[in-house]
Amino acid sequence: MSAPERIPPRSVTPPPDAAELLARGELTVRGRIREASNAALYCTVSYNGEDAACVYKPVAGERPLWDFPDGTLAQREVAAYEVSEATGWGLVPPTVLRDGPYGEGMCQLWVEVAPEAELLALVDGEEPEPGWKAIGFAEVGEGRTALLVHADDERLRRLAVLDAVINNADRKGGHLLPTGDGRLFGIDHGVTFNAENKLRTLLWGWAGEPLTEEAAGVLEGLRKGLAEGGALTARLEPLITGAEIDATRARVGAMLASGTHPEPSGEWPAIPWPPV
C-alpha cells in the first residue's frame, strides 16, 4: 500500500471525546507511513458524525526485538498514554487498543506539526547559547564535530520526566510534535516500560538538575496512582507485566528520593541513533 499523496491536517487540540472516537469509530486505511520501522497506517476514523485522522499500528506488523517480548509494542504505546494522562500534562495524543482491518493494534490521534518550531539544533562551540541545553557532540562530516542542543523549554522538560518514568528507550527528535497552538506531543512509545534501565533520549539537558516543584508534585501523584490497587495500576495491568509496573513504581520512587532528573547510567547507550 502506498503512502497518501497528501495527509490532511488533523485537529491540533484533541476533541474531548477523542478516545471514544478512536475506540468505537469505523477505521478506514488511507495509506502507509513509510518512515516507520514497524507497520504504521494512516487512517481516518468516523463515529456519530465526527471524523478524525489517526495512526493505526497493528500488532501483526511489529518486528521482533531482542529485548522486548513479541507482540507487546501496541500495548506499551497505550500504557504510555495512560501515564501521560495521569500526569495531567497531556503529552501523548489520545491512544487506544482496538481491533482494526489487520487485527488488534494501537490507534492514535494524528497531530499536525507546526513546521516553524525549532526544538533541536547543531551549533558550533562547546557551550550552548542561552535558551538551549547541551546534549553532546556529534560528527558532522569531514572530521568536524558540532554540539547537539535542545531548547530549554518547559514542555520538553515535562516530557523528559515522563520518559524517565516510562523508561523510554528511543526518544528521537522526530518523535517530538510541537503544534500551532503551543502544545507539544511525544509519539512512538513502543519501546517503553522495560523492567531494566534502558532510558535513551535526546532530552538529557536537565540531567542531574533538581526537579521542578511541579514535576515533584506530578511524581507524587503517580506514586499514589501506582500503589497496589491504585487507579493507574488498574489501567496498566492489562497492558504491561507486573514486573514492569513494579519497575515503574521504583523509577518514580527513585526520582522523588533524589529530587533530580536522572543521569545516563553508563550501562546502555544514552542517545538514540540516528537522533532524529
Side-chain angles (χ1 to χ4, degrees):
M1 181 178 296
S2 62
E5 293 184 2
R6 176 181 179 275
I7 295 178
R10 293 176 280 186
S11 299
V12 171
T13 302
D17 56 351
E20 182 181 25
L21 172 64
L22 293 171
R24 306 182 69 175
E26 181 181 358
L27 197 61
T28 303
V29 176
R30 302 296 184 184
R32 183 170 183 174
I33 301 171
R34 294 186 177 276
E35 298 83 8
S37 56
N38 295 294
L41 305 175
Y42 172 74
C43 302
T44 53
V45 61
S46 302
Y47 182 69
N48 278 352
E50 190 170 8
D51 301 286
C54 60
V55 175
Y56 162 54
K57 297 181 181 179
V59 172
E62 295 178 4
R63 296 180 181 178
L65 298 172
W66 68 269
D67 52 349
F68 284 84
D70 293 349
T72 66
L73 305 190
Q75 291 92 327
R76 294 171 193 278
E77 295 245 29
V78 179
Y81 168 69
E82 293 291 355
V83 174
S84 169
E85 288 299 284
T87 67
W89 286 334
L91 296 170
V92 179
T95 312
V96 302
L97 194 67
R98 59 162 294 168
D99 284 331
Y102 299 101
E104 185 179 63
M106 179 278 281
C107 190
Q108 184 176 82
L109 194 71
W110 184 271
V111 174
E112 186 70 13
V113 177
E116 69 277 5
E118 188 175 16
L119 299 174
L120 299 167
L122 283 168
V123 298
D124 294 324
E126 297 187 356
E127 296 292 334
E129 296 290 331
W132 294 88
K133 289 283 191 178
I135 302 168
F137 290 95
E139 294 185 6
V140 292
E142 299 181 354
R144 294 180 57 248
T145 61
L147 183 63
L148 182 61
V149 297
H150 66 67
D152 187 2
D153 185 310
E154 68 173 8
R155 301 170 302 170
L156 287 179
R157 191 166 190 171
R158 290 170 175 171
L159 194 58
V161 172
L162 176 66
D163 282 344
V165 170
I166 66 176
N167 198 16
N168 192 348
D170 194 33
R171 174 61 73 205
K172 296 178 179 178
H175 301 166
L176 305 173
L177 305 184
T179 65
D181 63 354
R183 296 190 65 177
L184 175 72
F185 293 98
I187 60 168
D188 284 351
H189 297 110
V191 286
T192 51
F193 294 100
N194 200 298
E196 298 179 7
N197 180 14
K198 292 186 178 289
L199 183 59
R200 189 168 62 166
T201 175
L202 288 178
L203 304 181
W204 287 117
W206 299 280
E209 292 188 14
L211 295 166
T212 64
E213 184 176 345
E214 177 195 43
V218 164
L219 289 169
E220 189 59 51
L222 290 180
R223 177 155 64 181
K224 293 176 182 177
L226 286 165
E228 294 286 347
L232 182 55
T233 296
R235 291 196 291 274
L236 294 180
E237 284 176 336
L239 301 168
I240 59 177
T241 68
E244 289 165 342
I245 294 174
D246 288 342
T248 305
R249 290 190 188 108
R251 290 190 294 271
V252 170
M255 292 176 70
L256 284 168
S258 70
T260 62
H261 287 265
E263 299 181 78
S265 67
E267 301 173 356
W268 178 258
I271 298 175
W273 191 261
V276 294

